[in-house]
Amino acid sequence: LIQRIHTGHTTNDVAAVNLAAHSIKSSSANLGAMTLSHLCAQIEERARDGEIASELIARLDETYLGIAKAMNALYQELV
């Protein structure tokens, strides 16, 4: 889904950015990854307004990687 946001950004496909951001927003909120959820909510809101938020999309990979590392560390503690 993150790749879909990047592809939508590159191709100026606001609908694709909106849909992918919405999906990530919901999924990450369910996992408690609220930083990612809030970032995607902002990307989604801007896309709904017909705008691709380049400055927010630029932060997406770094935010996701930080959460993925934290979740992996938690998983390692549990196994």
Side-chain angles (χ1 to χ4, degrees):
L1 289 171
I2 289 175
Q3 185 57 46
R4 287 185 190 168
I5 291 176
H6 286 300
T7 300
H9 177 246
T10 302
T11 61
N12 204 33
D13 186 345
V14 178
V17 170
N18 182 42
L19 183 60
H22 176 78
S23 295
I24 297 170
K25 175 190 75 175
S26 300
S27 300
S28 58
N30 286 336
L31 293 172
M34 299 315 292
T35 302
L36 182 59
S37 181
H38 291 302
L39 178 60
C40 286
Q42 292 175 312
I43 294 169
E44 178 189 20
E45 183 178 330
R46 298 268 290 274
R48 262 188 277 130
D49 292 339
E51 181 183 350
I52 293 182
S54 299
E55 75 283 359
L56 298 174
I57 292 171
R59 295 177 21 212
L60 194 57
D61 291 324
E62 181 181 339
T63 302
Y64 170 77
L65 288 175
I67 291 165
K69 285 180 185 178
M71 296 206 55
N72 188 43
L74 177 61
Y75 172 77
Q76 294 303 318
E77 288 179 23
L78 296 173
V79 284

